Amino acid sequence: MIAQILANGLLLGGLYAAIAAGFSLVWGVLNIINLLHGSFIVLGAYGAFFLHTAAGVSPFAAAPAVGALMFPLAYALQTMVINRVVDRPVLITLTLTFGLNLILNNLMLLAFKADYRKVVLDPPLGILDLGAIVLPVDRLVATACSLLLVLALWSLLRLTRIGRAIVAVRMDRDAAALMGIDVRATYALTFALAASLAAAAGCLLAPLFPISPVASATYLGKAFVICVLGGLGSVPGVVVGGFALGVMESLGALSLGPEHAGTLAFLLLLLLLLVRPSGLLGRRGFD
Amino acid sequence: MRGLLLPLLSGVALLAAAAFATLAGDAYALRLATTLCLYIGLASSWNVIGGFAGYPSFATAAFFGIGAYAGSVLQAGYGVAAPLAWLSGGIVAALLAAGLGYCILHLRGHYFAIASLVVADVLREVANSWISLTNGGMGISLPLLSIGVEDQARLYFWVFGAVAALSVAAAWLVDRGRLGFALRCVEQNETAALMLGVDTRRAKRAALVLSSLAPGIMGAVYASWVSYIDPTDAFDVLLSVKPIIMALLGGVGTVAGPVFGAAAFLALEELFWRNLLELHEGALGLLVVLLVLFLPGGIRLVRPRRLLAFRPLAKPGRTP
Amino acid sequence: MTPALSDASSTVFRDPPLLELRGATRRFGGILALNDVSLSIGKGEVVGLIGPNGAGKTTFVNVVSGLVRPDAGQVLLEGRRIDGLPADRIARGGIARTFQVVQPFPRMSAIDNVAVGAMFAGGIGDPAAARHEARELLAFVGLESVQDRPAAALTLADRKRLEFAKSLAMKPRFLMLDEVNAGLNAAELDSALELVARVAGTGITILLIEHLMKVVRRACPRTVVLHQGRVLADGPTAEILADPRVVDAYLGVRDRARRPGIEPRRDLA
């Protein structure tokens, strides 16, 4: 019983890592809380949905393509709009992304309507019976893909020039600028990368959870909680935070009933902010 | 002079609106004027913590919602008289703010914003789940007052108007007094404020409590006004965001800014996107984006002397 | 290294010293920024605190003013412990400081900047009265011509004087001036030291944190040298500056052997 709950939690947590990675990246590097993040995820899920219904593409295969589609859109949004206020106080940047999210969410409501949709895999992937625990294969695949995405982000940040530039800007923007890094372009790259990741994560969620513009707030909330749990701006932190939230949610769903899992997460967030505002892992560089 | 002139002007404007609304006897105008008072109260209150102290609070919905629920539960469940229930709404909100003050005011920037934002979410879930008290998602229907429909509409206007006037007056007093000084110090350089002997913790707590009173009362009155509340309405995140937009419109951190901002916001809401129906929220979002990008200092109607003098608008003296 | 108070009156020994540190220690990560610092300063003294960069001078100021808590040891103001108190209470208790990097309220006028100190620590509750007091102090430090400008619009030298006026408005008993003279030219330095002397004349105890030896030599009868978080020497300034250990540590002879390319600063002595 406990093993099953833990397994469920870990599967969920792996997905959460991908949900939160981009959000954490933007927060850490741009010092902006991107309230659009949840909507990016939902947009990605719709992408997977339409690719699936129109061309029968598996959502897992669609993830890279949808992510790549998202990249130029987000890049343009950052260079044309967000970069203009990126250095302003929290109130301004937060209000701006709130406004942008209202627009995007409204457009999605108009285009897709509020009713829930879901990608139904045909044939279903079935379950993996390990005796003590039973794992749905679709979840297993989604979690594996999600962790792959996070791993890809991590290697990109560690191994590529662009990644090092992003890390440098996060550590010390002014010093990075002095070293010849184009900070504005790095911001745009970071934002676009994060949005692509969000959209790809959305694809992975498409066969598991109902798709609706209404869900964006939930995903955003989870990204918040994971960032605070795992500490801001580190990839391992996101993974740890994701697993922690996943396990706690499945334990909470068991003891309090599934409808309170979300509240539990928020209460946890408040509690954490009181005790350890910098997260369980503390504040570290994005490495 | 600046300090005296602006609230005076706002007061006159309010009175004019009041006279117009009551004299005209037009239900639509009266509802509009009542909403204006609600907005002024919320924006002015937010400005004390968000503008003066510079702490980006998203807790207005929490204060409004808990006030609405306190008032509704007391009236519907315990038969408490409406005025007492309304006041209790303010008191409960202030208690929440006082508690929150000890918990989240040591956070800065994004962390404070998020913590304050989450409070409303938690309370909404509590309201949803504590069915024995709040009737859960079914909401609470409130007893109607035993007076005529028109008298009732007028009454609610005056109540909202009084609370709005009180919150503007409170903001004005704070701005002129020691607390305002302390809060401006907090906003501009909290460490330096500490070093000069400013008890920043107490000042911030006072600001948060002050910013909760009017929303709490107004939440309770609002519940009576519309005679029904449910968790989704009472703790709507837009209740937290709209006052910020109003303050941004009029000028954050000034006494008159939120008043004018509330009026401007209501005008936009009525003229443009009330008719847009499905695009309502998108249009609101567009307003926010344009406002933040192009009018970061607000519409700058906040300095009538400057307007009268027809001097070119200087660079914004304060960044919100 | 006993405190040299030979020129002070004997009352200093009967009353508790104005400020006393007992074994104050503060660690940042693996670095001991303050290492078992014990020190007492009597009423009315003007003491210089010198040391090379990273010696712990600013940590000392931060610990005394309550911005940073000591990990161990005690800080006493007139015999009462103040370590662990909130910084604003310490400020109201009579300890004022300036910051090495000036910390004005950028969008407030110079007057209001100073009035804050008068209002919240100087015992003048009424804003109008505090502004009146602020005006006088701005005149005292020579800023009357820019008193209505926002602090952000002042020159660096003026902002340093503004810091000074802010701390004076607090009517402190103990005033720590953290490198108020850094970055000033010779004429500005002269007038700054003149101000320090005049303030000392009113009976305020002063700790002058300095990088420049010539400044302490001119302004302070007694000097304390911090080196690697410890009190290296403490006594009459002339003796201290002649102490070979101080010269060694200060000019970084040993350091220089390890870090070639770093020359001792010529303006130090």
Side-chain angles (χ1 to χ4, degrees), chain B residues 13 17 30 60 65 83 101 123 181 192 294 315:
Chain B
L30 195 57
T60 310
L123 289 177
F181 240 109
F294 299 111
K315 282 250 166 203

Coordinates of all heavy atoms in Angstrom, one line a residue, chain B residues 13 17 30 60 65 83 101 123 181 192 294 315:
Chain B
A13 N -15.5 65.4 -5.5 CA -15.9 64.5 -6.7 C -16.8 63.4 -6.2 O -17.9 63.1 -6.8 CB -14.6 63.9 -7.3
A17 N -20.7 62.8 -7.2 CA -21.2 61.5 -7.7 C -22.4 61.1 -6.9 O -23.4 60.6 -7.4 CB -20.0 60.5 -7.7
L30 N -26.8 54.6 -9.9 CA -26.5 54.3 -8.5 C -25.6 53.1 -8.3 O -24.7 53.1 -7.5 CB -27.9 54.1 -7.8 CG -27.9 54.1 -6.3 CD1 -27.3 55.5 -5.8 CD2 -29.3 53.9 -5.7
T60 N -5.6 41.4 -1.1 CA -6.9 42.0 -1.0 C -8.0 41.0 -1.1 O -9.0 41.2 -0.4 CB -7.0 43.1 -2.1 OG1 -5.8 43.9 -2.1 CG2 -8.2 44.0 -1.9
G65 N -12.6 38.5 0.9 CA -13.4 37.2 1.0 C -13.7 36.8 2.5 O -14.8 36.4 2.8
P83 N -25.4 45.9 10.3 CA -24.3 46.8 10.5 C -23.2 46.2 11.4 O -22.0 46.3 11.1 CB -24.9 48.0 11.2 CG -26.4 47.9 10.9 CD -26.7 46.4 10.7
G101 N 0.8 39.5 9.2 CA 1.9 40.4 9.4 C 3.1 39.7 10.1 O 4.2 39.9 9.7
L123 N -7.7 30.1 1.8 CA -9.0 30.5 2.4 C -10.2 30.0 1.5 O -11.2 29.5 2.0 CB -9.1 32.0 2.6 CG -8.2 32.5 3.7 CD1 -8.4 34.0 3.8 CD2 -8.6 31.9 5.0
F181 N 5.8 58.4 7.0 CA 7.3 58.6 6.9 C 8.0 57.2 7.0 O 8.8 56.9 6.2 CB 7.7 59.5 8.1 CG 8.4 60.7 7.6 CD1 7.7 61.9 7.7 CD2 9.6 60.7 7.0 CE1 8.4 63.1 7.3 CE2 10.2 61.8 6.6 CZ 9.6 63.0 6.7
A192 N 18.4 51.0 5.7 CA 18.7 52.4 6.2 C 17.7 52.8 7.2 O 18.0 53.4 8.2 CB 18.8 53.4 5.0
F294 N 3.4 51.6 -21.1 CA 3.5 53.0 -21.6 C 3.2 54.0 -20.5 O 3.5 55.2 -20.7 CB 2.5 53.1 -22.8 CG 2.9 52.2 -23.9 CD1 2.1 51.1 -24.3 CD2 4.1 52.4 -24.6 CE1 2.5 50.3 -25.3 CE2 4.5 51.6 -25.7 CZ 3.7 50.5 -26.0
K315 N 9.8 63.7 -15.7 CA 10.1 62.2 -15.5 C 9.4 61.8 -14.2 O 9.4 62.6 -13.2 CB 11.6 62.0 -15.3 CG 12.3 62.0 -16.7 CD 12.8 60.6 -17.0 CE 13.1 60.5 -18.5 NZ 13.1 59.2 -18.9

